[in-house]
Amino acid sequence: MVTETAQLDADAKARRGFFLALGAYFLWGLLPFYMKAVAHLPLIEVICHRIVWSVPIAACVLVWAGRTADFKAAVRSPKSIAMAALTATLISVNWGIYVWAIAVDRTVETALGYYINPLVVVVVGALLLGERLDRLQIAAVALAAIAVTVLTIEAGKLPWVSLALAFSFAAYGFFRKTLPIGPSQGFLLEVLLLSVPALCYIGYLIATGQDHFVSSTGSDTALLIGCGPITAVPLLLFAFGARLLRLSTIGIMQYIAPTMVFLIAVLVFDEPFGRTQAIAFALIWAALAMYSWSMFKGRQAVPAAR
């Protein structure tokens, strides 16, 4: 009876985690629409408002979750502050490239970047953490490398937007693990650190009349304030959802957002998608199928190994 009750409780947590993570990926998938809406605004100003308006949301969630003690301890730790500053810088670079790419009609490349990201994480784990790759993972990474080569030959240059997004987010995830606090506390610490230069820059724009927050239309003001919720809410949903789900489940779900972004780019934004891009994406999808199957097999083998 106790075992059955525990199983029901575990199933309930898994369902809750699934819907929280699904909400996060769904919002991330729709993010290009919002980024298009703010495309007429200066990139740095948009990034600054993403940071500043994320702070109150992250703080409210932290208080609601009752995790303020962990946050206070992190604030008093110079090592935590230094690592949070590094991860904050990395995620800012990622955000900046993403917002710029959508504004200049390169949304397909952002989708490719987030498709590549899991494979980059595998390589980072192998190179920096000494994690061993199985044959399927090696084949998946090889296919991804071929896809990048195909795009490079066709364009005459590396698909830097995709690679920059993939590697910056992989680096963010790698260093983020070094913070000895939970994801919601870490996110608040990051945006608090970033809010200092962000507020200074916003203040400078307002003082010189170059801003789009006070000196512009009400719609621009609302869009800039909205940058906070569209940034913080999916991140926090994911943070709480991921804690209740298996890694294999998260591994499969992470393709929801780039798939939505890809479909929006091609079907709604009408971005070019020719034969070369189709070949590259087919290679990436095959690589991800291999990677996902390898991860699933590894998860299934754990109980047997015990």
Side-chain angles (χ1 to χ4, degrees), residues 261-286:
V261 171
F262 167 73
L263 292 174
I264 289 169
V266 176
L267 301 179
V268 181
F269 295 165
D270 199 27
E271 292 190 11
F273 187 75
R275 184 175 63 180
T276 303
Q277 287 80 9
I279 293 171
F281 269 80
L283 289 168
I284 291 295
W285 288 328

Side-chain angles (χ1 to χ4, degrees), residues 31 34-54 92 95-100 102-103 198 201-202 205 210-213 220-231:
L31 190 57
Y34 202 95
M35 293 299 99
K36 277 292 186 184
V38 299
H40 64 287
L41 301 172
L43 171 64
I44 302 300
E45 189 173 8
V46 170
I47 298 297
C48 287
H49 281 277
R50 286 190 77 172
I51 294 165
V52 169
W53 296 108
S54 292
S92 296
W95 286 351
I97 295 171
Y98 183 81
V99 175
W100 173 83
I102 292 178
Y201 185 72
I202 291 171
L205 291 179
Q210 301 177 61
D211 69 294
H212 294 80
F213 183 66
D220 284 347
T221 302
L223 284 170
L224 288 171
I225 293 175
C227 286
I230 62 100
T231 299

Side-chain angles (χ1 to χ4, degrees), residues 156-177:
K157 58 184 178 180
L158 281 170
W160 72 268
V161 170
S162 303
L163 293 175
L165 287 172
F167 277 92
S168 62
F169 201 69
Y172 171 75
F174 175 78
F175 288 109
R176 183 64 180 78
K177 289 185 177 183

Side-chain angles (χ1 to χ4, degrees), residues 41-203:
L41 301 172
L43 171 64
I44 302 300
E45 189 173 8
V46 170
I47 298 297
C48 287
H49 281 277
R50 286 190 77 172
I51 294 165
V52 169
W53 296 108
S54 292
V55 172
I57 298 172
C60 288
V61 170
L62 196 67
V63 172
W64 171 78
R67 304 306 299 269
T68 54
D70 294 344
F71 179 75
K72 290 176 182 177
V75 171
R76 291 193 291 267
S77 167
K79 181 180 179 181
S80 294
I81 294 294
M83 290 309 303
L86 174 60
T87 56
T89 301
L90 288 168
I91 198 62
S92 296
V93 170
N94 186 270
W95 286 351
I97 295 171
Y98 183 81
V99 175
W100 173 83
I102 292 178
V104 297
D105 299 326
R106 298 176 73 166
T107 311
V108 169
E109 293 178 59
T110 69
L112 179 62
Y114 288 114
Y115 274 132
I116 293 174
N117 174 251
L119 303 173
V120 172
V121 171
V122 169
V123 174
V124 169
L127 295 178
L128 301 183
L129 301 178
E131 297 177 355
R132 296 184 63 181
L133 303 183
D134 61 29
R135 291 180 180 178
L136 278 176
Q137 289 173 331
I138 293 173
V141 171
L143 281 180
I146 293 171
V148 171
T149 303
V150 168
L151 291 172
T152 301
I153 292 172
E154 192 271 341
K157 58 184 178 180
L158 281 170
W160 72 268
V161 170
S162 303
L163 293 175
L165 287 172
F167 277 92
S168 62
F169 201 69
Y172 171 75
F174 175 78
F175 288 109
R176 183 64 180 78
K177 289 185 177 183
T178 64
L179 275 176
I181 52 177
S184 56
Q185 301 97 306
F187 177 62
L188 176 58
L189 184 55
E190 288 168 350
V191 291
L192 271 176
L193 290 172
L194 290 170
S195 67
V196 176
L199 281 171
C200 289
Y201 185 72
I202 291 171

Side-chain angles (χ1 to χ4, degrees), residues 4-17 244:
E4 184 178 344
T5 302
Q7 183 60 47
L8 289 173
D9 184 55
D11 290 343
K13 287 182 178 179
R15 280 195 298 272
R16 186 162 68 251
L244 302 173

